[in-house]
Each structure stands twice: as C-alpha cells, then as structure tokens.
Amino acid sequence: MSGRTEGGAKERGFYGLAVTIFVVIAMALGVSTPSRAAPIDDQFQAWLQNDLWPEAQAKGISKKTFDAAFIGVKPNLKLPDLVMPGKKPTTPEKQHQAEFGPPANYFAEKIIRPVTAGGRSRESANARVLGLIEKRYGVPGEIVLAIWGRETGFGAARMPYDAFEVLGTKAFMSTKKDFFRTEVLAALELVERGLAPVNAMKSSWAGALGQPQFMPTSFLKHAVDFDGDGRPDIWNSTPDVLASIANYLVHYGWVRGRGWGTEVIAPANVSCSLEGPDQGKKISDWVAMGVRRADGKAFQASELKAEGFLLMPAGRSGPAFLVTPNFYVLKEYNTSDLYALFISHAADRIAKGDATFAGDWGPVGDLHRSDIASLQRALEAKGYDVGSADGLPGFKTRRSIGTWQSKNGKAATCFPDASLVAQMK
C-alpha cells in the first residue's frame, strides 16, 4: 500500500512538473494552452455584454442585431497586432523576414498586368456606367477600375473572415482598440439599418468589406446606390461598387479635370529632398529648374500654372514623378506612396496601353523593417522629421535621409540602404 502510494505520488509529481514546464514553454512561445484560452473567451464575452453592448444600445442598436452579430463569435488570436489582456504591446528587436523589399517588386508585370488587362475588358463592358460616374463625380473610369482591380481582383477575391469576429477581436485586444471599436459599432449600425444582413458581413483580416474594401465607417459615409434599387450594395452591384469608389475619392478632394501626374526626369541639381506634398511648386517653376516630362512632351499651358509635387519613391534609385493633388487623394484610399503610384500607373495603362516606366528601379530594399525603424529613430534624435519610426520609408524619411547626406558631404540618394543603417547606428 505504502509502496503504491509513494509511487503514485512520485508519478503525480513528475506529471505536475511536466505540465508546469509545458505551460512555461507555451507562455514563452506565445502558445495558448487550453487552460489559458477559456479565460480569454470569457473575458471577451464579458466585454461584449458589459462594455460594448451598452454603447451599441445607446447608439440605437437593437439586442436582436447585437446578438445575431456575435452569436458563436470568439476572439481570433491569429489576427495580427493583438495584445493579450493585461499585457503591453511588444516590438521584436529584429524581424527575420525582409518586410520591405525593392519598390520595383510592387510593379512586377505578374501583379500589374492582371489589373490592367482586367480593367480594359471591364471598361468596355461597363462603358455606360463609367461614363455616368465620370460625369457625376469627375473621376476618370480608369482610376476607378484600377482601384477595383487592385483591391479585390474586380470582385473575384473572396473574403474569408467574419467581419464581427475580426472587428470584435480587434476592438477588444488590438493595438488600435479605439479605431476598431468605432468600426465594429459602424458595422452594427450597417446591419441595424438593413443595409446588409449579418451573413453577408464577410471581410478581410483587417475588417474591410465588399469589393471596394471599405471599412464600415467608410461604407456609411461613401457607399452609393447607383443602380437605383434602393440600397448601396458593394458586394454584388457593379454600378454601386464603381460609384462608391468615385464618391470616396470626391469626398477626399478629387479635382475634376486634373490627372494624377506624370513621370519626369529630375536633373542632379534638383535635390531629392524637395519631395513631398508640403513642398509644392508651380509646374512652370519645376520646368525652370530643369525638370521635364519623361515622354518628351511639353506640359500643357493650364498645367504650367498649377501646383505640382516631386515624388521619388525610391529616391535616386528609381523613377521620378511630378504629381498633382489627386495623387494624394489616392493615398487616402491607402497611405502608401507605392499603392497610389500603382493605381495611377495601372490607370494609365488601362487608358493607353501597357507601357512601363521610362526610369529604371535600382537594386534597393531588402532591409528589415526594424533596421529602417532604427535608422528613423537615429534621424529623429538628430532633429529630423521622419513622420513615424514605423520601418517604412515614406517621403518624410526619404527626404530626411537626403538632407542628412548632403549636410555630411555625401551624395543624396534619399533612400535607406544597409551601409546607411550601419553609419547611423
């Protein structure tokens, strides 16, 4: 008896030690164990009922809508940018993948050609609707088509996520809880108003809806009923999808009658540090400095009097552009310079054929975002405005690099590279 009891105690002791070791290792690796997963689910449900529901109710959401939206919904811990309850956000010291590659990769033919070819085929099929949209909103059809193609492959991309799972999870435990709380409340309003049923609320991993990939607040502000059936339908109605994209751009200031810009040749005396939407000049002033169109054509007289902005998304290692305010409207759809340039270039190709850029993209990129972020922090410490130390070389980072290089007797490239990162450490 005593022998069996002692042996059983030893067995339980070894088992308990094994469980403890497993839990410690799992916690270190960020793996959820069964005993840890349940409390998170419970916390999520308590948050839904005690925190989110009172605010939803105050905004006119019915209990029927609220319950239908969240029935069976649990937090999706596989989504990015989450912070476990009671924990603080952490940033890895080193990222093991080169998350910022060469800008040229963004414009690879295998990526852009499906958008331009698909846009041209749909341009003729939707000519009447696109004509009416351009007449009403002033946004060229090819711009609308390029966004449609880029966002969801003209509606072919399937949204695999439940929007309320994504938005609920992120409102509960993401690094931007306030942003997603506003979005999940907007999604509930959307359903409450009968604009879409709960089962149609499929989204991207970020919670974006429908063929234009609108966040719920954008749907409420910009979605348009253009086919006249009584409700805006960005899931199934092509006229509504296209008009909603145009309406979005108009809301953010699209200027009727102006394009997005053009590729240019910027001579060496034009510093790449002159880039940015806050350093605009009249096109005639840029021309006086030696900037000329890459296609060899002259600027129209009306354009010479208008303001233009220098854009060099790869610094001196890529093409240069003079862009209009409409380019920065496209950035309201996605804040990336490369995204806005992709839409602009794709639109040109839809309208004029598959021409490539005149300038070459140099071998830049392939840096870790954490390396670029450390470079940005070093520049900030020297008093430069890089916008944000987010590991993405936006125009403020690029021109800060160029200014620092010039002040330190180096040729201004306006783009991060490995040697520059090493110098600034």
Side-chain angles (χ1 to χ4, degrees):
M1 175 80 66
S2 62
R4 289 196 300 272
T5 303
E6 181 182 359
K10 288 180 179 178
E11 184 177 352
R12 288 192 298 273
F14 285 124
Y15 173 75
L17 178 60
V19 169
T20 300
I21 292 172
F22 169 76
V23 170
V24 170
I25 293 173
M27 290 175 65
L29 295 175
V31 176
S32 296
T33 66
S35 62
R36 285 171 57 79
I40 293 173
D41 290 350
D42 291 345
Q43 289 178 58
F44 179 69
Q45 293 301 323
W47 171 80
L48 283 176
Q49 299 304 322
N50 302 327
D51 189 338
L52 189 64
W53 161 240
E55 184 173 358
Q57 184 180 35
K59 291 180 176 295
I61 307 301
S62 68
K63 195 69 166 67
K64 179 181 178 181
T65 294
F66 191 88
D67 290 345
F70 290 107
I71 187 169
V73 171
K74 296 180 180 180
N76 184 342
L77 303 184
K78 295 181 180 180
L79 295 172
D81 303 321
L82 301 184
V83 181
M84 299 299 284
K87 303 291 183 180
K88 293 183 178 180
T90 57
T91 302
E93 289 298 318
K94 189 75 172 179
Q95 293 162 332
H96 297 290
Q97 293 182 349
E99 294 193 11
F100 188 86
N105 291 355
Y106 210 90
F107 303 95
E109 279 297 308
K110 65 180 180 180
I111 297 174
I112 198 167
R113 188 174 291 275
V115 174
T116 58
R120 280 195 295 272
S121 67
R122 286 163 178 81
E123 188 173 36
S124 57
N126 297 281
R128 179 180 175 277
V129 168
L130 289 168
L132 292 171
I133 288 172
E134 184 163 358
K135 183 177 180 180
R136 178 180 298 184
Y137 299 104
V139 181
E142 53 268 20
I143 290 286
V144 175
L145 288 167
I147 292 175
W148 186 26
R150 176 66 182 179
E151 291 297 324
T152 56
F154 307 101
R158 296 299 169 217
M159 299 298 108
Y161 295 94
D162 178 296
F164 288 104
E165 176 186 85
V166 171
L167 297 171
T169 298
K170 287 179 171 283
F172 173 59
M173 58 187 298
S174 83
T175 56
K176 298 194 297 182
K177 290 194 289 187
D178 291 344
F179 172 83
F180 284 103
R181 186 183 185 94
T182 299
E183 295 298 339
V184 75
L185 289 167
L188 288 165
E189 180 183 347
L190 196 159
V191 173
E192 182 70 29
R193 289 169 52 183
L195 298 174
V198 168
N199 61 11
M201 296 289 283
K202 301 298 181 183
S203 76
S204 70
W205 61 266
L209 305 170
Q211 296 186 38
Q213 285 292 272
F214 280 176
M215 296 302 290
T217 53
S218 290
F219 179 98
L220 294 175
K221 292 176 184 176
H222 310 304
V224 172
D225 171 24
F226 206 72
D227 63 11
D229 70 352
R231 69 181 183 92
D233 181 359
I234 62 171
W235 291 270
N236 305 296
S237 169
T238 296
D240 289 5
V241 168
L242 299 175
S244 296
I245 292 170
N247 190 45
Y248 183 101
L249 298 178
V250 168
H251 175 87
Y252 284 103
W254 185 270
V255 180
R256 183 188 292 265
R258 286 199 83 183
W260 67 270
T262 189
E263 186 180 355
V264 297
I265 306 299
N269 66 291
V270 177
S271 173
C272 52
S273 63
L274 292 175
E275 182 183 6
D278 54 350
Q279 299 193 96
K281 304 177 186 295
K282 288 183 179 179
I283 301 290
S284 58
D285 292 336
W286 290 112
V287 171
M289 294 168 66
V291 175
R292 65 186 190 277
R293 288 177 59 127
D295 60 11
K297 297 179 181 178
F299 286 98
Q300 294 180 352
S302 59
E303 279 294 295
L304 289 171
K305 301 175 183 177
E307 190 173 33
F309 311 90
L310 183 64
L311 172 73
M312 300 183 75
R316 282 290 175 185
S317 295
F321 307 87
L322 280 185
V323 299
T324 74
N326 285 341
F327 179 86
Y328 294 102
V329 172
L330 292 174
K331 285 190 67 175
E332 295 291 343
Y333 217 100
N334 182 311
T335 57
S336 164
D337 286 330
L338 294 179
Y339 174 90
L341 185 58
F342 181 99
I343 297 303
S344 302
H345 184 52
D348 282 355
R349 287 175 55 148
I350 290 170
K352 305 170 186 176
D354 287 333
T356 58
F357 294 117
D360 293 326
W361 297 94
V364 294
D366 288 329
L367 288 172
H368 296 287
R369 279 184 61 178
S370 53
D371 288 331
I372 297 175
S374 69
L375 171 63
Q376 290 169 321
R377 288 191 291 271
L379 286 166
E380 284 181 327
K382 296 178 184 298
Y384 291 92
D385 177 11
V386 299
S388 174
D390 57 3
L392 297 173
F395 74 89
K396 288 186 176 181
T397 295
R398 297 194 297 266
R399 70 189 188 189
S400 293
I401 289 172
T403 301
W404 180 86
Q405 289 170 322
S406 296
K407 286 183 177 180
N408 286 272
K410 304 177 185 298
T413 65
C414 296
F415 205 79
D417 60 39
S419 64
L420 185 62
V421 170
Q423 289 176 52
M424 296 291 284
K425 281 187 176 180

